[in-house]
Structures are given as structure tokens and as C-alpha cells.
């Protein structure tokens, strides 16, 4: 496992998860709910920024590695899953939305793992619809974590709309990846 700046940023993102979750378990006497929301939003946004930044640095510094390529999406999925579970617990996201998004991530990760083992990983490379899904959820989650108006804009309502858009794009992208993989799955089943 190479220790370099991009991998260190990825590990830092993973290390933020228990802090991010723990903020909501602090007594309200220590930290008010609005302050918890603000801190959680800031931590999630920092994680999202380091996600982009570690990929940029890995390419710019020539520090890409197989381990980094594995760890980066794991860190992303852990942070998103933690955020969605918190948002369900806080009654800001319906459980079905969290199940759809987290379930898709598990399904597509397993599919990618299998496709890599049979030498067909290019068949499930990231598609544009997957990028749209990620963008929608990465905007929706901080808005829902913040859970307050800003400059008279109802960020919670906007976040709620975007998380439903993200769930719809999640189903669409899962269908896209499964459609691409079915011929290979069928061929493997026949052999």
C-alpha cells in the first residue's frame, strides 16, 4: 500500500466518518442541533472536496495506484452510506431512498468486482448517468444535513427534490450497468 498524498487524503476521508456521525450523538447541551447540522455539512463537504482533490493529485503527481483506485470509491460509498443512514434517522430522507442508493452501490460494486475477475471491467466503466447521479446526491446530502434556509432559499426542500432525483438516476444507472452486464452474465452461465 503506497503512502502518498492522494491515499492519505482518502484515509483522512474514512477517518472523518466516525467524527461526522459522532457529531449527532453529542448532547444538545454541548452542541445545538443547528451547530451539529453545520459541522456535519462542513465535514461532508470537506470529504467531497478531498474526493475530487485526491484524484486530481494522483493524476497530476503520477501517484496513481491499484490500492488508491480501490480505496477511493470505498471511502466515497462509506461516507455516503453513513450520511444517508443519519438522514433517515433524523427523518430527513425516506428509508426507501437510502435503500435504493446504498443497495445500488453494493450491487454495482459486486458487479464491477465480478466483471474485473472475468476481464470485462471496461463494460461497467463509469457512465455519464452515474456521474449525474453522483452529482445530484453530493449536492442533496449537504443541503439535507444543513436543514435550514440560506438567503431565503429553502435548502431542505431543494435537497429533498435532489435526493429523489438522485434515487431516480440511481435506478437508471443501475439498469444501464446491468443491461451492459447481462450478456456477459448469460455467456458465463452457459459456459
Amino acid at each position: 500500500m503506497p503512502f502518498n498524498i492522494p491515499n492519505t487524503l482518502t484515509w483522512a476521508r474514512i477517518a472523518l466518518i466516525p467524527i461526522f456521525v459522532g457529531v449527532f450523538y453529542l448532547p444538545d447541551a454541548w452542541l445545538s442541533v443547528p451547530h451539529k447540522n453545520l459541522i456535519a455539512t462542513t465535514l461532508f463537504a470537506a470529504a467531497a472536496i478531498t474526493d475530487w482533490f485526491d484524484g486530481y493529485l494522483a493524476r497530476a503527481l503520477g501517484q496513481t495506484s491499484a490500492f488508491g483506485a480501490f480505496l477511493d470509491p470505498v471511502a466515497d460509498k462509506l461516507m455516503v452510506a453513513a450520511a444517508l443512514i443519519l438522514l433517515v434517522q433524523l427523518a430527513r430522507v425516506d428509508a426507501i431512498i437510502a435503500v435504493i442508493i446504498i443497495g445500488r452501490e453494493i450491487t454495482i460494486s459486486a458487479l464491477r468486482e465480478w466483471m474485473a475477475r472475468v476481464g470485462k471491467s471496461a463494460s461497467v466503466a463509469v457512465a455519464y448517468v452515474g456521474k449525474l447521479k453522483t452529482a445530484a446526491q453530493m449536492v442533496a446530502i449537504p443541503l439535507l444535513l444543513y436543514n435550514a434556509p440560506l438567503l431565503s432559499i429553502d435548502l431542505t426542500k431543494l435537497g429533498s427534490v435532489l435526493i429523489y432525483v438522485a434515487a431516480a438516476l440511481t435506478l437508471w444507472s443501475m439498469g444501464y450497468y446491468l443491461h451492459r452486464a447481462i450478456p456477459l452474465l448469460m455467456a458465463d452461465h452457459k459456459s
Side-chain angles (χ1 to χ4, degrees):
M1 173 184 70
F3 283 101
N4 54 36
I5 294 169
N7 286 349
T8 302
L9 286 173
T10 303
W11 279 115
R13 236 173 31 251
I14 292 171
L16 275 180
I17 295 169
I19 298 166
F20 167 76
V21 172
V23 164
F24 286 102
Y25 286 91
L26 293 173
D28 290 347
W30 292 6
L31 200 59
S32 69
V33 172
H35 284 106
K36 291 177 185 181
N37 291 341
L38 179 60
I39 291 168
T41 303
T42 303
L43 290 173
F44 188 88
I49 290 166
T50 62
D51 176 32
W52 174 84
F53 198 56
D54 67 14
Y56 170 79
L57 285 176
R59 291 183 295 278
L61 300 174
Q63 295 180 345
T64 58
S65 66
F67 181 76
F70 158 76
L71 189 62
D72 182 64
V74 169
D76 300 342
K77 288 167 183 41
L78 288 172
M79 182 59 103
V80 167
L84 287 170
I85 292 166
L86 274 174
L87 289 169
V88 168
Q89 183 177 358
L90 295 167
R92 298 180 195 172
V93 169
D94 289 329
I96 189 66
I97 298 298
V99 169
I100 288 169
I101 294 172
I102 295 169
R104 180 260 187 210
E105 296 302 338
I106 293 167
T107 302
I108 299 306
S109 293
L111 181 65
R112 284 191 174 126
E113 176 73 21
W114 178 79
M115 297 293 273
R117 287 181 188 230
V118 297
K120 301 289 184 181
S121 57
S123 298
V124 285
V126 176
Y128 185 70
V129 68
K131 292 181 182 197
L132 285 176
K133 179 268 310 175
T134 300
Q137 79 185 17
M138 296 309 272
V139 172
I141 290 171
L143 296 179
L144 292 165
L145 287 168
Y146 188 67
N147 196 43
L150 183 65
L151 304 173
S152 71
I153 299 169
D154 188 345
L155 297 183
T156 305
K157 189 175 285 186
L158 179 58
S160 294
V161 169
L162 285 173
I163 204 70
Y164 277 93
V165 169
L169 290 169
T170 293
L171 292 171
W172 183 7
S173 69
M174 186 167 72
Y176 170 82
Y177 292 126
L178 289 173
H179 176 73
R180 295 198 51 142
I182 284 174
L184 298 166
L185 290 166
M186 298 304 285
D188 186 59
H189 178 69
K190 290 177 184 176
S191 59

